[in-house]
Amino acid sequence: MENLKKINIITLGCSKNLVDSEYLMKQLETGGWTVVFDSNDLSAKVVIVNTCGFIADAKEESVFTIVSLVEAKQKGDIDKIFVMGCLSQRYKEDLKKELPEVDGFFGVNEMPEILTALNTNVSEEFLNRRLLTTPKHYAYLKISEGCSWGCSFCAIPLIRGKHVSKSMPELIEQAKWLAQNGVKELILIAQDSTYYGKDIYGERRLPELMEKLSGIEGIEWIRLHYAYPTGFPDELLSVIASEPKVCKYIDIPFQHISDKVLKMMRRGITKEQTLELVKKIRQTIPDVAIRTTLLVGHPGEGEEEFNELVDFVKASRFERLGVFAYSEEEGTHSATYADEIPENVKQERVEKLMSIQREVSLENNRRRIGKSLKVIIDREEGEFYVGRSEFDSPEVDQEILIDKSLSRALVPGDFVLCTIENADDYDLYGKVINEPQE
């Protein structure tokens, strides 16, 4: 394989997978490879697919991608295919039997083995470095791996194992490196970010970590994703409320509100505790944007339980919301329940909640009209500069569109102050009222 010097990394699934790919890409680059990512560049004769195995749709996408690459290999367009990540971790032996054309399957923690298969040595010097695939001004910072909660519907502990935090010095060092390379926004990710530190320090240390990250020169925004509601640390709210660099934004997947369903989901929290937590968040951080995800159609969710969820969405008025239909995952506790809810009913429930959310989002957005927001510019798109406020995360949330003909020249990573002039259900329209900030 010495003559194969260009490699394509295709990443499927979540931002946590993306970070894994970025670490691998840096090792490959250090080892002499020319690395491209998610590219149709046929001059890259070696392809690695980082797969997702979380839910049925993601698994189907991963399998489809692999099969497409096998067909390309059979046509001679590529020479080698390697598969890594969650799907490969969980179904490696089955995949080997079904797809013998693939040159190697690797699990989620097998980067050294992948490099060996590519005749490339591990570079110890660059183990804490990545080749960023995001726009230069923001990056994901994965603070831990795995999950110890054991929710009945979730296969993540089966794939990724129990919660393992990264050390605080390692994270601080990496964040400083990211800042030195132009990153202005850190997006903290984990399977459960609020559990950070419990395994290695004996207590939750996320508030302390966020305070230390806030002291890094060059970092303007710190954003929190995937906070678990059970055992939520109150001191974290104080940090979000008081630290100027920490975005007034919390991604906290509640999944459901019915006590019956929460118990069957093994979420470790009750309806009353959930409502109290939402109330506490809003009281402590008055202008907070709460992003949550809900799971409909889980066994035990009858009409009464679903109506509780409808009332919860209407009353809570979440700024950001995603809704997913339950799909049975083999090996999970939920797979021992009878999945008796028809797929069309699950989809109807998804659509009903999202219909309610569109109205909530439009009303929330209209209240922003006439107000000013600090905006980071992500890209140009057609006649607009496209940016975000502190209340929105890239890829998953709404955006702020700025008419290029009414604005001075802007580049990705610029911070500007905008007045919001108009609003749709999932977009805002702003006008720049100051020069880009350094």
Side-chain angles (χ1 to χ4, degrees):
M1 298 184 64
E2 291 78 11
N3 62 329
L4 302 175
K5 304 302 293 183
K6 197 169 191 178
I7 192 164
N8 182 18
I9 312 295
I10 298 174
T11 303
L12 306 175
C14 66
S15 53
K16 297 180 282 291
N17 255 19
L18 186 69
V19 172
D20 292 342
S21 291
E22 290 176 344
Y23 280 116
L24 174 61
M25 290 166 66
K26 185 62 180 178
Q27 288 288 315
L28 291 168
E29 182 187 65
T30 303
W33 292 83
T34 298
V35 183
V36 295
F37 57 94
D38 296 335
S39 172
N40 293 319
D41 186 347
L42 294 180
S43 65
K45 296 300 182 183
V46 182
V47 182
I48 299 177
V49 187
N50 191 354
T51 58
C52 180
F54 183 45
I55 58 176
D57 287 347
K59 288 188 281 190
E60 288 174 10
E61 180 188 18
S62 294
V63 171
F64 176 80
T65 301
I66 298 168
V67 170
S68 297
L69 290 169
V70 166
E71 292 173 353
K73 182 181 180 182
Q74 290 171 338
K75 290 192 295 184
D77 292 334
I78 57 177
D79 295 335
K80 298 282 185 179
I81 305 167
F82 298 95
V83 177
M84 61 181 283
C86 294
L87 188 77
S88 186
Q89 173 77 24
R90 196 168 187 205
Y91 302 107
K92 184 183 293 185
E93 296 307 314
D94 291 337
L95 290 169
K96 283 180 179 179
K97 294 175 184 176
E98 295 296 326
L99 296 164
E101 300 89 350
V102 173
D103 297 278
F105 291 93
F106 303 91
V108 296
N109 295 312
E110 295 185 325
M111 184 172 71
E113 289 82 357
I114 297 171
L115 294 171
T116 297
L118 293 166
N119 292 335
T120 303
N121 295 324
V122 174
S123 173
E124 298 287 340
E125 180 183 356
F126 292 96
L127 278 179
N128 202 28
R129 295 291 180 263
R130 293 143 58 186
L131 192 61
L132 294 182
T133 60
T134 54
K136 185 179 179 181
H137 56 280
Y138 71 82
Y140 297 100
L141 185 67
K142 183 155 69 166
I143 64 175
S144 63
E145 187 58 88
C147 184
S148 298
W149 283 107
C151 298
S152 64
F153 56 87
C154 182
I156 291 297
L158 301 175
I159 299 170
R160 295 271 179 175
K162 290 187 177 296
H163 181 102
V164 178
S165 300
K166 294 190 175 184
S167 75
M168 201 171 299
E170 177 186 353
L171 293 171
I172 298 299
E173 192 272 338
Q174 184 176 155
K176 287 180 178 178
W177 175 80
L178 290 169
Q180 290 165 2
N181 283 273
V183 170
K184 299 178 180 180
E185 178 181 5
L186 288 178
I187 304 170
L188 274 55
I189 56 173
Q191 304 300 338
D192 171 14
S193 58
T194 44
Y195 204 76
Y196 173 77
K198 181 74 171 176
D199 55 318
I200 56 177
Y201 301 118
E203 61 182 356
R204 296 173 186 243
R205 299 279 287 273
L206 181 61
E208 179 185 347
L209 174 64
M210 295 181 76
E211 287 179 332
K212 290 188 174 182
L213 292 172
S214 297
I216 296 175
E217 184 178 354
I219 298 300
E220 294 270 347
W221 280 354
I222 299 168
R223 186 181 303 281
L224 181 63
H225 272 263
Y226 314 123
Y228 197 88
T230 305
F232 190 94
D234 289 347
E235 58 269 31
L236 179 60
L237 298 180
S238 299
V239 172
I240 297 173
S242 62
E243 174 52 59
K245 288 187 178 182
V246 176
C247 295
K248 306 302 182 279
Y249 177 102
I250 301 177
D251 182 330
I252 180 167
F254 287 115
Q255 305 298 0
H256 218 279
I257 196 60
S258 159
D259 279 328
K260 175 186 176 183
V261 179
L262 287 170
K263 185 175 181 179
M264 294 183 74
M265 286 181 168
R266 294 184 168 183
R267 292 289 285 172
I269 195 169
T270 65
K271 177 177 183 177
E272 181 180 356
Q273 291 169 330
T274 301
L275 295 175
E276 182 60 32
L277 178 55
V278 174
K279 180 181 177 181
K280 186 184 298 182
I281 292 171
R282 294 211 182 277
Q283 286 179 338
T284 309
I285 317 166
D287 199 26
V288 70
I290 301 177
R291 157 168 278 281
T292 195
T293 50
L294 302 174
L295 183 64
V296 298
H298 186 275
E301 185 193 70
E303 287 297 327
E304 180 180 346
E305 290 75 24
F306 176 68
N307 288 333
E308 283 187 76
L309 198 55
V310 169
D311 292 340
F312 178 53
V313 171
K314 288 180 178 178
S316 299
R317 304 189 65 77
F318 295 114
E319 286 71 20
R320 313 289 177 251
L321 175 67
V323 184
F324 299 90
Y326 170 78
S327 62
E328 183 179 297
E329 291 297 313
E330 60 182 301
T332 63
H333 184 74
S334 289
T336 65
Y337 303 140
D339 185 6
E340 297 175 337
I341 303 173
E343 290 302 316
N344 66 308
V345 173
K346 294 177 185 177
Q347 291 304 318
E348 287 170 3
R349 291 178 180 178
V350 170
E351 291 165 10
K352 181 169 183 176
L353 290 181
M354 290 310 301
S355 177
I356 295 168
Q357 180 61 23
R358 276 190 292 274
E359 296 178 11
V360 170
S361 181
L362 181 57
E363 291 173 12
N364 286 340
N365 281 349
R366 283 175 174 167
R367 284 199 290 271
R368 295 281 183 192
I369 295 175
K371 297 182 179 179
S372 297
L373 291 174
K374 183 179 178 180
V375 174
I376 190 169
I377 302 301
D378 280 337
R379 66 187 186 279
E380 293 184 40
E381 191 171 289
E383 60 192 34
F384 294 104
Y385 294 115
V386 182
R388 294 173 289 109
S389 73
E390 67 176 303
F391 308 114
D392 299 290
S393 198
E395 305 295 335
V396 295
D397 292 328
Q398 66 181 25
E399 296 170 321
I400 296 174
L401 307 179
I402 301 167
D403 191 328
K404 289 163 64 175
S405 67
L406 301 176
S407 172
R408 62 188 65 86
L410 301 173
V411 296
D414 277 344
F415 281 101
V416 293
L417 191 64
C418 285
T419 296
I420 303 304
E421 297 189 317
N422 205 348
D424 290 336
D425 46 6
Y426 292 122
D427 280 315
L428 297 174
Y429 296 84
K431 181 179 180 180
V432 177
I433 58 176
N434 76 340
E435 297 289 337
Q437 302 173 4
E438 296 298 328

